[in-house]
Amino acid sequence: MDQDPLENMIEATRSYFRLCSNPSIARITLQDAPSVLGNERWRALDAAHFGGLVTGGLAFAMQAGAIAPQPLEPLANIVLAAIQAAALDCAAQKDFEASASIYVDTLETLLSGLAARA
């Protein structure tokens, strides 16, 4: 990708929500999994897998100077929690895509706000 690291993360977030707009995927990953595994176990698994992508993306953005250096783990936990909460709320709505549109715009603003200031 030719975009800067933050733009890549924003596009990855948009892609995640596009995938989750598929009712089968949303049902399995955002409704059934937390119910079957329990919320704590589901969050731990999500953090171990999807969270690694978030952590890696943020680390790369810091190394590239796109965001100011800061403690990576707390930042990754906050960003992951925001994405998880947004996805879970969208899955609970009748119209996932309409809810996701609002959340993705908000997540884009959040991620853009991390940009390093010159």
Side-chain angles (χ1 to χ4, degrees), residues 32-114:
D32 292 347
S35 295
V36 171
L37 297 170
N39 198 42
E40 186 175 323
R41 178 76 177 131
W42 174 80
R43 286 188 186 277
L45 287 170
D46 192 51
H49 298 284
F50 181 61
L53 297 173
V54 171
T55 302
L58 290 168
F60 180 73
M62 277 187 222
Q63 291 168 351
I67 61 176
Q70 55 194 287
L72 180 59
E73 188 175 340
L75 179 61
N77 287 340
I78 288 168
V79 171
L80 178 61
I83 294 169
Q84 285 176 331
L88 288 170
D89 188 59
C90 291
Q93 304 304 315
K94 290 183 183 190
D95 188 342
F96 184 98
E97 289 183 49
S99 297
S101 175
I102 297 165
Y103 273 110
V104 169
D105 288 346
T106 302
L107 289 165
E108 180 177 347
T109 300
L110 176 81
L111 290 170
S112 295
L114 296 173

Side-chain angles (χ1 to χ4, degrees), residues 9-55:
M9 290 191 70
I10 289 166
E11 185 52 41
T13 301
R14 289 188 179 283
S15 294
Y16 171 72
F17 279 87
R18 274 193 299 275
L19 287 171
C20 289
S21 71
N22 176 313
S24 297
I25 292 174
R27 173 80 185 193
I28 292 167
T29 60
L30 299 173
Q31 293 174 329
D32 292 347
S35 295
V36 171
L37 297 170
N39 198 42
E40 186 175 323
R41 178 76 177 131
W42 174 80
R43 286 188 186 277
L45 287 170
D46 192 51
H49 298 284
F50 181 61
L53 297 173
V54 171
T55 302

